[in-house]
Amino acid sequence: MKKIGAMKKVVAFMLSAMLMVCLGACGSSSSDGSASADKEAQTLNKVLKNGKLTVVLNIGNAPWTYKDDSTGEYTGMGVELIQGYCDQLGVECSIEPLEFSSLISSVNSGKADIICTNLSRTVERSTNVMFSDPVGIDYGVVICKKGAFSSLDEVNQEGVTLTTETGSSFEGVVADVFPNATMSAVDTTPNALAAVNAGRADGMVTNLAIAKELVAANEGLEIMEDYCYTDVMAFAVDNTYLNTTLLGSFNSYLRNIKSNGTYGEIYEKYIGTKWEPTYTDSAV
């Protein structure tokens, strides 16, 4: 009886082992299939397969992203950065211009793969997109008519109307830095500038690099001396795991060109000053 009992235990053990092997094999097959399907769904793999990266940008933001009137081509520091990335991937860089307020929804809906405008890295936006490493650091400034204000304290007064582009992080900056002033955002950067020129707004809040371009082309305007904000800017993709490989690939490209001198050359070409690397430039 003892031998029969022992034999039953051996048989039971062998059956159990065979079942575990079967389950493991079946599970492995299913897992491999899922992994293969998951890999196919990754945005970077789709980009490589289709040979095209769909890029959205806002064209009213020289020197970052704008349209060259003489050639009709999209250009700027952001455009050159994303074009260089596409060249290294060996894919077409398909650019679609949008109003600033539509950029995030375009990647969230899957209509675009990446935003390459100088997008401020904010906590609010991080709930909808994943940001790249910094593509640039700039400073928030106020553009106004010459002599309109002598200090930022004068800007922060009741009766002062400020403007910026709808969807810009500067809407929040004004609420924080100039809480007594009134914000009246408009659809584009050129229209915000037009509001200042026409007297519909007392000042426009934007990045220093953009402000320099605007003031140079508009006599009678000036940039206030003090900065009101430090702006860490980045590109962005939709915040799902399917975009992590694309984001990681772009970050690798960005880190490489920052270390080999290419980024510094592009920066000086468009910003007009020498790039001085900081901790923030390399922070993820």
Side-chain angles (χ1 to χ4, degrees):
M1 292 295 293
K2 289 181 179 179
K3 289 183 179 181
I4 292 175
M7 183 61 70
K8 285 182 178 180
K9 290 181 180 180
V10 171
V11 172
F13 175 79
M14 292 178 65
L15 288 173
S16 177
M18 291 173 65
L19 179 61
M20 291 298 292
V21 170
C22 178
L23 289 174
C26 293
S28 174
S29 175
S30 175
S31 176
D32 289 346
S34 297
S36 177
D38 182 65
K39 187 175 181 180
E40 286 294 317
Q42 292 283 333
T43 302
L44 180 59
N45 288 329
K46 287 183 176 180
V47 167
L48 294 173
K49 182 179 180 180
N50 297 332
K52 181 175 72 173
L53 181 71
T54 302
V55 176
V56 286
L57 51 77
N58 180 256
I59 60 172
N61 289 321
W64 278 94
T65 49
Y66 60 101
K67 194 170 186 177
D68 188 325
D69 292 334
S70 62
T71 64
E73 299 291 329
Y74 300 115
T75 187
M77 183 170 173
V79 175
E80 189 155 339
L81 289 175
I82 202 67
Q83 182 64 62
Y85 174 60
C86 287
D87 290 344
Q88 290 200 14
L89 283 184
V91 301
E92 175 192 353
C93 183
S94 177
I95 295 176
E96 297 182 9
L98 293 175
E99 290 185 357
F100 197 92
S101 58
S102 299
L103 294 174
I104 290 178
S105 61
S106 70
V107 292
N108 289 160
S109 65
K111 293 179 180 178
D113 300 315
I114 191 168
I115 300 169
C116 88
T117 292
N118 50 317
L119 201 63
S120 300
R121 291 182 14 158
T122 66
V123 173
E124 181 182 3
R125 285 175 178 162
S126 70
T127 63
N128 294 305
V129 296
M130 291 188 292
F131 289 109
S132 71
D133 287 1
V135 296
I137 310 297
D138 208 342
Y139 303 93
V141 295
V142 177
I143 299 174
C144 61
K145 290 185 177 179
K146 290 182 178 179
F149 303 104
S150 60
S151 70
L152 293 182
D153 286 338
E154 290 185 4
V155 177
N156 185 30
Q157 301 290 333
E158 291 185 7
V160 172
T161 298
L162 298 174
T163 189
T164 192
E165 190 170 30
T166 301
S168 165
S169 63
F170 289 112
E171 288 186 89
V173 170
V174 168
D176 292 338
V177 180
F178 307 111
N180 296 322
T182 299
M183 165 52 66
S184 179
V186 294
D187 56 349
T188 67
T189 293
N191 284 341
L193 187 71
V196 177
N197 277 322
R200 295 190 300 273
D202 300 298
M204 173 185 174
V205 186
T206 188
N207 283 321
L208 177 60
I210 295 172
K212 287 179 178 179
E213 296 275 343
L214 297 177
V215 170
N218 289 267
E219 189 176 353
L221 298 182
E222 66 179 359
I223 302 169
M224 295 193 66
E225 184 176 352
D226 294 331
Y227 303 148
C228 62
Y229 181 69
T230 299
D231 193 10
V232 181
M233 301 174 297
F235 292 173
V237 298
D238 185 39
N239 64 348
T240 70
Y241 75 98
L242 295 175
N243 293 289
T244 54
T245 51
L246 173 63
L247 190 64
S249 174
F250 176 76
N251 283 340
S252 293
Y253 155 78
L254 191 58
R255 293 168 191 176
N256 286 341
I257 64 171
K258 283 183 176 180
S259 63
N260 67 22
T262 302
Y263 176 89
E265 293 173 1
I266 297 172
Y267 183 93
E268 190 166 356
K269 174 181 176 181
Y270 289 100
I271 307 302
T273 58
K274 185 177 180 181
W275 177 56
E276 298 291 347
T278 66
Y279 169 78
T280 310
D281 283 306
S282 59
V284 293

